[in-house]
Amino acid sequence: MMSCDYSIIIPAYNEEAFLGPTLDSVNAAMSVSELCGEVIVVDNASTDRTATVAEERGARVVPEPHRQISRARNTGGRSASGRFLFFLDADTTLSPELLGKALSLLESGKSYGGGAKVRFDRDKLPWSVRAFTNFWNALARRRCWGAGCFLFSLREAFEAIGGFREDLYAAEEIFFCVALKKWGRKRNLQFEWIENPPVLTSSRKIQKGYLSLLGTYFLLGLCPFLLRFRRICRPWYGNDEEGK
């Protein structure tokens, strides 16, 4: 496998409807970068055309049969050849400006990784969703967290901390960021929070039932041990019962 400067890793389960536009945005962003990059789509046991859509747009498809987001992220990270790793959701748009800024920060040698302000693809959202999003952005910036829809790190750091925790079915990005911060602090490296441009991600989970989703966030915040149970994390896994 030839090495490259950076790898963009996209976990995907039955994402044929969203993956195409995501990969189109990724390819457009990469086309204006002077660095060498690769795109890896981790096919997380899809039953639709996810793998075909990925291959048609030039991505390397890596299978991961176990239905778990953190496992899929780790499979992609371990398959990557880049010295910088980007984790992107399959329903998220990557702009050239955001990719360029993140790469510059990693190349500076002062950062171990970072994230970006999150913005949804709809302007008209319930006030509770807008309030929660603002709360998340403020908290993430303060705590040095990155949202799972867009997160980047040094490959060295990813390998040193063992990637994402595979005993969790949600919020794995928060624990990943906490471990990264400890690793980076020992090396005098910093977390980078990109305010502008924000990362644009899909509001589809909100459209399906935002009150239920917010309730699940609240419950998991009070009882983090429930993150170990797939049934409780159903908003991220639908009705899929495999691997409970």
Side-chain angles (χ1 to χ4, degrees):
M1 183 190 305
M2 294 182 61
S3 62
C4 58
D5 294 307
Y6 65 96
S7 302
I8 298 177
I9 298 147
I10 306 174
Y13 168 71
N14 286 353
E15 292 285 7
E16 65 175 345
F18 287 88
L19 185 59
T22 292
L23 288 174
D24 288 343
S25 75
V26 168
N27 289 332
M30 294 174 66
S31 69
V32 299
S33 173
E34 295 181 357
L35 298 181
C36 173
E38 65 173 350
V39 183
I40 297 173
V41 172
V42 183
D43 182 10
N44 202 191
S46 298
T47 57
D48 65 358
R49 297 182 65 256
T50 290
T52 301
V53 171
E55 290 172 346
E56 288 175 347
R57 286 166 170 79
R60 176 158 61 96
V61 177
V62 176
E64 172 47 63
H66 182 65
R67 279 279 293 122
Q68 186 186 27
I69 298 170
S70 56
R71 180 80 68 88
R73 294 190 197 280
N74 284 340
T75 296
R78 292 163 186 158
S79 302
S81 62
R83 55 195 175 102
F84 306 142
L85 303 182
F86 289 80
F87 296 93
L88 188 74
D89 278 354
D91 58 358
T92 300
T93 299
L94 181 63
S95 68
E97 295 79 13
L98 182 57
L99 176 62
K101 184 170 287 189
L103 285 171
S104 294
L105 291 168
L106 289 171
E107 278 198 296
S108 72
K110 299 177 181 179
S111 170
Y112 61 80
K117 181 179 180 180
V118 175
R119 186 166 67 87
F120 287 111
D121 58 0
R122 289 177 58 198
D123 292 328
K124 295 183 179 180
L125 295 170
W127 70 267
S128 54
V129 173
R130 295 197 304 271
F132 180 81
T133 305
N134 291 336
F135 171 75
W136 160 261
N137 283 324
L139 183 64
R141 180 175 185 174
R142 181 178 180 84
R143 295 289 185 88
C144 299
W145 296 346
C149 60
F150 178 75
L151 184 63
F152 56 94
S153 76
L154 298 174
R155 179 190 183 88
E156 177 188 3
F158 171 86
E159 293 178 341
I161 67 173
F164 295 84
R165 283 179 51 174
E166 296 184 4
D167 60 333
L168 304 176
Y169 282 91
E172 73 287 342
E173 69 270 30
I174 294 177
F175 291 88
F176 179 76
C177 289
V178 170
L180 278 181
K181 185 177 180 180
K182 292 179 180 178
W183 183 90
R185 185 186 297 121
K186 294 178 181 178
R187 292 156 180 80
N188 199 31
L189 298 175
Q190 60 192 23
F191 177 89
E192 301 291 352
W193 173 263
I194 301 176
E195 184 84 18
N196 187 40
V199 60
L200 185 67
T201 193
S202 171
S203 58
R204 59 178 170 167
K205 288 188 176 69
I206 296 170
Q207 297 177 46
K208 290 180 179 179
Y210 70 93
L211 291 178
S212 174
L213 181 62
L214 292 179
T216 302
Y217 277 124
F218 182 73
L219 177 63
L220 294 175
L222 289 177
C223 307
F225 72 91
L226 294 176
L227 293 166
R228 298 171 183 265
F229 299 94
R230 188 191 206 88
R231 288 179 184 268
I232 305 299
C233 301
R234 185 163 291 182
W236 292 272
Y237 295 90
N239 294 318
D240 180 17
E241 297 296 319
E242 182 272 325
K244 290 181 293 184

